């Protein structure tokens, strides 16, 4: 199972992680991937100037937009195999 950590610090949240969190939850539900991803939040990744930030397992992704999320999640699934 992959762990998605969404930075919910004020900078990342205001830069788009509020929307990104919704997109991630919808993507997981729409594709029946509840057994593939665990989603949690954190307060700060320490990369505020590069936000919004999302971590999938140990890899930090910066400047994440709702448009790039499906590809990031699909890539994470491919690397699990």
């Amino acid at each position: 199972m992959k762990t998605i950590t969404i930075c919910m610090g004020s900078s990342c949240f205001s830069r788009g992680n509020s929307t990104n969190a919704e997109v991630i939850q919808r993507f997981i539900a729409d594709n029946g991937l509840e057994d593939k991803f665990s989603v949690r939040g954190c307060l700060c990744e320490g990369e505020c100037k590069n936000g919004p930030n999302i971590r999938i397992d140990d890899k930090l992704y910066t400047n994440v937009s709702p448009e790039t999320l499906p590809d990031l999640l699909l890539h994470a699934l491919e690397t699990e195999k």
Side-chain angles (χ1 to χ4, degrees), residues 2-6 24 28 37-40 54-55 73:
K2 297 284 187 178
T3 299
I4 301 170
T5 305
I6 303 168
I24 289 168
I28 290 170
F37 290 107
S38 165
V39 180
R40 64 187 194 104
I54 292 174
R55 184 176 296 278
L73 298 173

Side-chain angles (χ1 to χ4, degrees), residues 13-78:
F13 190 80
S14 67
R15 288 179 178 209
N17 265 356
S18 58
T19 301
N20 286 341
E22 295 172 14
V23 170
I24 289 168
Q25 294 288 3
R26 191 174 329 111
F27 179 88
I28 290 170
D30 289 352
N31 293 286
L33 298 172
E34 293 85 356
D35 63 332
K36 301 289 184 187
F37 290 107
S38 165
V39 180
R40 64 187 194 104
C42 69
L43 288 180
C44 186
E45 286 286 355
E47 291 289 330
C48 302
K49 67 179 188 259
N50 297 318
N53 301 306
I54 292 174
R55 184 176 296 278
I56 301 177
D57 289 337
D58 294 328
K59 181 154 178 53
L60 180 66
Y61 296 91
T62 59
N63 296 305
V64 177
S65 70
E67 296 79 24
T68 61
L69 276 170
D71 287 339
L72 286 178
L73 298 173
L74 289 171
H75 178 73
L77 285 175
E78 290 172 4

